[in-house]
Amino acid sequence: MSEHSPLLPVPRSAELLATDAHPLVRRGRPALVDPATLAACALDLFVEKGYAATRLEDVALAAGVSKGTLYLYFDSKAALFAAVVRQGLVPALAGGEALVDSHRGSGADLMRELLWGWWRLIGATRLGGLPKLMVAEARNFPDIAELYHREVMARGCALIGRAIDYGHARGEFCVAGDPCTVQAVMAPLLLRVLMKHSFGCVDHAAPEDDPSAAAQAESTDIAAAIEFVIRALEHD
Amino acid sequence: MSEHSPLLPVPRSAELLATDAHPLVRRGRPALVDPATLAACALDLFVEKGYAATRLEDVALAAGVSKGTLYLYFDSKAALFAAVVRQGLVPALAGGEALVDSHRGSGADLMRELLWGWWRLIGATRLGGLPKLMVAEARNFPDIAELYHREVMARGCALIGRAIDYGHARGEFCVAGDPCTVQAVMAPLLLRVLMKHSFGCVDHAAPEDDPSAAAQAESTDIAAAIEFVIRALEHD
DNA sequence: GCTTTTAATGACTGAATGTTCAGTTAATAA
DNA sequence: TTATTAACTGAACATTCAGTCATTAAAAGC
């Protein structure tokens, strides 16, 4: 049996794992690429075309390496996909957790900051393609779905749940942060980002050709969606 | 150029299109299957495994025919997919439209009936797999995405929008039925059905092994989600 | 029976693509 | 210089599967 999960990156030589302070002398040809770059290129293509329709040859081409090189860093296409998910979303959660810990104002303001932060960091960036990718492929990759569920969804839900509980404890919100409420709170933004990356449309009457006007309309929509869920939390 | 779109079912002999009142005499071997059955079997597999991972041979096997037979009724895999979408969801919309036309009570009650109806007819059945399928495959099949957007999403949004406007006109809802609000209203139920058909979980603490308890917990969650959006609509 | 017509089959094909690996390149160590 | 090691390459391989088609089956008309 292999020493590492088939979904984890292939370990490179020990030198690459050494600290920068003591870069052990290396022999052989220096690496031209690093796994993070490959995963970043793969993210773009996975998000744009979906998992099945993304050819490893295109990922390699985008990263400026050959197809064979991919297999030096990732055991398989699925392992590359796992790396994309892990590298893309897990780091984005820390910021939100710090925000909830340090907040002192109203629950509504905390919720606004959290949801706007999520939108800026994930919804409005290419990372927004990952939720759609996971919805599309979770059934085909139970291991990766489990990773996503555990490392991303569970942590994210706990985060939002704590924010709702915060407002509830202050008497501002009429419900506690149970999973069902958390899902209802995230739903409008999540659905919007899913639509954006699948149908490519967001179904409002904004002009498609003027990018600044579209961005303006998007901000208005996000604000409306956020205020919508805050109304639901605050009622009475 | 062919007389029919490649995404439409292959027309059968004229006799099959004749009314039951005047079934013209037919020659040759009678058909053992009908396209609707094939599409129904394909729905199950598409929903379960996704488009790319569903092999036409398995669809044929599930329907009790051979792979070649599929091509007597559908030009291609994409055409079969289109038929699945059209046959599955377009008919389900008429009921909701009648409901909005005939309703006379409060806006909140209309919304409850609409959302519960959607859940019973789509969310809780295998048809609930279609939204996930469309989110997953829209980019790969622009034609089918356009069909879905026009025949399903646009009509559904108009429906919900009219219901919100109804409550708004009665002074019960604080917002009108613009597309952004419609999306926020549908979001919790849609997201839940997307999760159900991708991750297979709904992230609440209910026991997975007891089906009746799970159904009970699901009803409670749906009710909570519906009351959540109604609070957001009613505020003040 | 025999012919005609439609339905159905399933082995086959061809294209696409994930994966492998023998060989090449570029660096360090002796 | 030469040996050694690691990174990299890309053609070849193996598999999967949508789509085809020659053949067989079953009904109706004569």
Side-chain angles (χ1 to χ4, degrees):
Chain A
M1 187 177 173
S2 170
E3 285 187 42
H4 67 286
S5 155
L7 295 185
L8 293 176
V10 177
R12 301 310 299 273
S13 58
E15 287 78 3
L16 283 179
L17 301 175
T19 64
D20 286 354
H22 273 289
L24 301 182
V25 283
R26 297 185 55 270
R27 298 179 52 124
R29 187 176 177 177
L32 298 178
V33 292
D34 70 307
T37 304
L38 299 179
C41 292
L43 169 62
D44 289 337
L45 287 167
F46 280 147
V47 164
E48 182 190 331
K49 306 160 85 74
Y51 180 84
T54 296
R55 289 177 301 142
L56 289 187
E57 202 155 6
D58 290 340
V59 175
L61 194 69
V65 297
S66 74
K67 200 162 51 153
T69 301
L70 282 180
Y71 281 87
L72 297 176
Y73 296 91
F74 303 100
D75 272 343
S76 64
K77 192 181 185 182
L80 175 62
F81 184 34
V84 164
V85 172
R86 197 180 307 105
Q87 168 176 325
L89 286 181
V90 172
L93 282 162
E97 284 165 352
L99 198 64
V100 174
D101 285 331
S102 64
H103 188 79
R104 291 291 174 270
S106 73
D109 280 344
L110 172 57
M111 196 57 69
R112 283 187 192 96
E113 280 192 56
L114 269 182
L115 295 180
W116 269 114
W118 182 89
W119 182 256
R120 276 197 314 273
L121 250 62
I122 297 173
T125 70
R126 62 186 185 173
L127 289 178
L130 280 180
K132 177 218 141 183
L133 205 53
M134 287 309 309
V135 164
E137 304 295 342
R139 292 293 273 265
N140 296 112
F141 301 97
D143 292 347
I144 303 176
E146 204 275 332
L147 165 77
Y148 185 79
H149 188 271
R150 179 167 33 83
E151 308 254 333
V152 179
M153 288 173 58
R155 278 178 68 184
C157 286
L159 188 60
I160 302 290
R162 282 177 51 211
I164 300 173
D165 283 335
Y166 174 87
H168 190 221
R170 288 167 57 108
E172 297 162 6
F173 293 162
C174 65
V175 286
D178 60 288
C180 185
T181 305
V182 168
Q183 202 177 47
V185 165
M186 285 304 297
L189 295 193
L190 259 178
L191 187 63
R192 189 184 177 91
V193 85
L194 288 176
M195 288 296 160
K196 188 177 174 180
H197 284 90
S198 54
F199 294 90
C201 74
V202 284
D203 222 355
H204 62 56
E208 293 286 326
D209 48 356
D210 182 347
S212 88
Q216 181 68 42
E218 179 155 275
S219 281
T220 306
D221 281 4
I222 300 302
I226 291 175
E227 295 309 316
F228 182 92
V229 301
I230 289 178
R231 274 204 305 280
L233 291 169
E234 279 184 333
H235 194 274
D236 282 55
Chain B
M1 185 175 174
S2 170
E3 286 187 42
H4 67 287
S5 155
L7 296 185
L8 293 176
V10 177
R12 299 310 300 274
S13 56
E15 287 79 2
L16 283 180
L17 301 175
T19 65
D20 286 353
H22 273 291
L24 302 181
V25 284
R26 296 184 56 268
R27 297 181 50 124
R29 190 177 176 176
L32 297 178
V33 293
D34 71 307
T37 303
L38 300 178
C41 291
L43 168 64
D44 288 337
L45 287 167
F46 280 147
V47 163
E48 182 189 331
K49 306 160 85 73
Y51 180 84
T54 296
R55 289 177 300 143
L56 289 189
E57 203 153 6
D58 288 340
V59 175
L61 194 68
V65 298
S66 72
K67 191 163 63 151
T69 302
L70 280 181
Y71 283 87
L72 297 175
Y73 296 90
F74 303 99
D75 272 342
S76 65
K77 193 180 184 182
L80 175 61
F81 184 35
V84 164
V85 172
R86 197 180 308 104
Q87 169 176 326
L89 286 180
V90 172
L93 282 162
E97 284 165 351
L99 199 63
V100 175
D101 285 332
S102 63
H103 188 80
R104 292 291 173 271
S106 74
D109 281 344
L110 172 57
M111 195 58 67
R112 284 188 192 94
E113 280 193 56
L114 269 183
L115 295 181
W116 269 115
W118 183 89
W119 182 257
R120 275 198 314 273
L121 252 62
I122 298 174
T125 70
R126 64 185 185 172
L127 289 178
L130 280 179
K132 177 218 141 183
L133 205 54
M134 287 309 309
V135 164
E137 304 296 342
R139 292 291 275 268
N140 297 113
F141 301 97
D143 291 347
I144 302 175
E146 204 273 333
L147 166 75
Y148 185 79
H149 188 272
R150 178 166 37 80
E151 308 254 331
V152 179
M153 288 173 58
R155 277 179 69 183
C157 286
L159 188 59
I160 303 290
R162 283 176 50 209
I164 300 174
D165 283 335
Y166 174 87
H168 189 220
R170 288 167 56 108
E172 298 162 4
F173 293 163
C174 65
V175 286
D178 60 288
C180 185
T181 304
V182 168
Q183 203 177 47
V185 165
M186 285 303 297
L189 295 192
L190 259 178
L191 187 63
R192 188 187 178 89
V193 85
L194 289 175
M195 289 294 160
K196 188 176 173 180
H197 284 88
S198 54
F199 293 90
C201 74
V202 283
D203 222 355
H204 62 58
E208 293 286 327
D209 48 356
D210 182 348
S212 88
Q216 182 67 42
E218 179 155 277
S219 281
T220 307
D221 280 5
I222 300 302
I226 291 176
E227 294 310 316
F228 183 94
V229 303
I230 289 178
R231 276 204 305 279
L233 291 169
E234 279 185 334
H235 195 273
D236 283 54

